[in-house]
């Protein structure tokens, strides 16, 4: 959520920044609601002051011999009812303004390029040369099916956009997950974290998935009493919300790594990537989350993105890094880098990680603060997260980049210890 004072003081800059995301900020409605909220609060406070003054008058009348009931009736009149009405009006005005601000995305950083969609993202660097094969490349579906990658079984037990794995494919999937977690916890300073796969509505509102993107989520109605649950779209949601609604006495930066399944309805993606594991309703991911102080967040984004890159480099998978343009930038993000891995089967780069700085936007929605030991005062945290990496897409990249002409798959050296020393799947 944006700071209301910042909006008031920088209205033109806010409008221009949000326009970069393709969002038209209704400044007239904002001003109307803001003024209504202020006038309602002022009226309620004025009536409270009148009541305090009236209480003194009642005391004086009682001192002159009037009964308490008569004194109160003479002085107070309808003031209690007026106060109740004014406070209710102020509460409604506060809620209306809050609802408006909850629907407003984060303002992009100045260096975010203009653009409408992924075609306008700007390449920052490339690492490695796209894999060149002396034979016609197969895609991961054809490569993996002989070794236990089974989309028919996934569809049998759940439906389209699900996969079942067995044998070497299940082992490779697990090996990638363990390798990523070990790399991030042993070398990059993250604490491994286990979190629920179901969250409440408040958690999704805190990180920005709700209220705008409910159609992208899997909802479980009234799972516990009258409270709805949602399957997590990413570990970002439960991990980031661990610090919500309190002042945290912690040392920053705080870095967490979590492996979870992720669940997405893929609303609006009908007809896209229907073959294989690129766009699934359920997939695994190792998520990296950092909580930092405001003056650390720019450097933290570069560091976190580097940690995701380290996975690709260790696996010797060619990739490129792009900065997202305004039109492709997420709702809550101020700045995002995408890492796109080369897939010989598709002959193109495809996203495998998205690393974002949210600044204090999520923390303000969550009420997540830390106590600055230098001042002793609470301050909003800055939050960042990124995929480190999406496990299924990483497996796709290994299958396609390490394929051999006879259909076998070489195992990257970094993964061999996690595969029981196996050097190839054949």
């Amino acid at each position: 959520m944006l700071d209301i004072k910042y909006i008031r003081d920088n209205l033109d800059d806010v409008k221009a920044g949000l326009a970069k995301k393709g969002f038209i900020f209704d400044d007239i409605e904002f001003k109307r609601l803001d003024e209504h909220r202020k006038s309602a609060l002022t009226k309620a406070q004025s009536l409270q002051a009148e009541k305090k003054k009236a209480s003194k008058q009642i005391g004086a009348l009682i001192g002159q011999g009037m009964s308490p009931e008569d004194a109160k009736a003479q002085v107070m009149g309808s003031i209690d009812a007026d106060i109740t009405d004014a406070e209710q009006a102020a509460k409604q005005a506060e809620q209306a303004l809050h609802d408006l601000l909850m629907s407003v995305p984060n303002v992009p950083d100045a260096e975010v390029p203009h653009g409408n969609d992924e075609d306008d993202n700007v390449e920052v660097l490339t690492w490695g040369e796209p894999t060149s094969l002396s034979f016609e490349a197969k895609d991961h579906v054809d490569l993996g099916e002989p070794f236990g990658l089974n989309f028919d079984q996934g569809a049998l037990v759940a439906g389209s956009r699900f996969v079942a794995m067995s044998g070497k494919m299940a082992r490779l999937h697990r090996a990638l997950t363990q390798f990523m977690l070990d790399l991030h916890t042993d070398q990059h300073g993250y604490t491994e974290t286990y979190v629920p796969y179901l969250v409440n509505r408040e958690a999704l509102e805190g990180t920005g998935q709700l209220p705008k993107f409910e159609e992208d989520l899997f909802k479980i109605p009234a799972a516990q009493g009258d409270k709805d649950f949602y399957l997590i779209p990413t570990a970002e949601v439960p991990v980031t919300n661990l610090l919500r609604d309190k002042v945290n006495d912690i040392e920053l930066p705080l870095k967490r790594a979590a492996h979870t399944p992720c669940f997405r309805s893929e609303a609006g993606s009908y007809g896209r990537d229907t073959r294989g594991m690129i766009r699934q309703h359920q997939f695994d991911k190792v998520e990296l989350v950092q909580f930092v102080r405001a003056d650390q967040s720019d450097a933290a984004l570069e560091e976190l993105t580097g940690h995701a890159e380290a996975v690709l480099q260790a696996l010797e998978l060619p990739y490129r890094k792009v900065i997202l343009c305004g039109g492709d930038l997420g709702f809550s993000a101020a700045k995002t880098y995408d890492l796109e891995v080369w897939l010989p089967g598709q002959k193109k780069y495809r996203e495998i990680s998205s690393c974002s700085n949210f600044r204090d936007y999520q923390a303000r929605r969550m009420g997540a603060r830390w106590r600055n030991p230098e001042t002793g005062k609470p301050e909003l945290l800055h939050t960042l997260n990124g995929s480190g990496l999406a496990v299924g897409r990483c497996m796709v990249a290994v299958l396609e980049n390490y394929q051999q002409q006879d259909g076998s798959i070489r195992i990257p050296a970094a993964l061999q210890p996690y595969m029981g020393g196996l050097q190839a799947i054949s």
Side-chain angles (χ1 to χ4, degrees), residues 173-185 188 190-193 234-236 239 256-262 283-289 304 307-308 311 352-355 385-392 394:
H173 190 267
R174 174 163 59 91
L176 283 163
T177 303
Q178 291 178 317
F179 164 68
M180 293 176 197
L181 285 172
D182 286 349
L183 179 67
H184 296 313
T185 56
H188 298 155
Y190 291 82
T191 299
E192 187 171 349
T193 305
T234 164
E236 165 199 346
V239 175
R256 301 291 188 96
H259 162 235
T260 67
C262 305
F283 60 96
D284 281 45
K285 188 150 60 82
V286 173
E287 187 77 359
L288 306 177
V289 177
L304 186 148
H307 295 156
V311 177
I352 196 169
S353 175
S354 192
C355 302
N385 68 57
S387 311
L389 303 165
V391 180
C394 197

Side-chain angles (χ1 to χ4, degrees), residues 394-409:
C394 197
M395 190 167 85
V396 169
V398 169
L399 292 176
E400 295 195 11
N401 282 277
Y402 282 88
Q403 63 180 292
Q404 304 299 298
Q405 190 165 8
D406 63 0
S408 64
I409 313 294

Side-chain angles (χ1 to χ4, degrees), residues 13 45 57 74 84 108 118 151 195 226 233 269 275 317 322 345 352 358 377 418 421:
D13 289 341
Q45 291 166 356
Q57 294 175 347
Q74 178 176 320
T84 299
E118 62 184 23
F151 294 93
V195 288
D226 58 354
S269 68
R275 178 176 168 84
L317 293 171
V322 301
I352 196 169
F358 304 96
K377 296 180 180 179
Y418 298 89

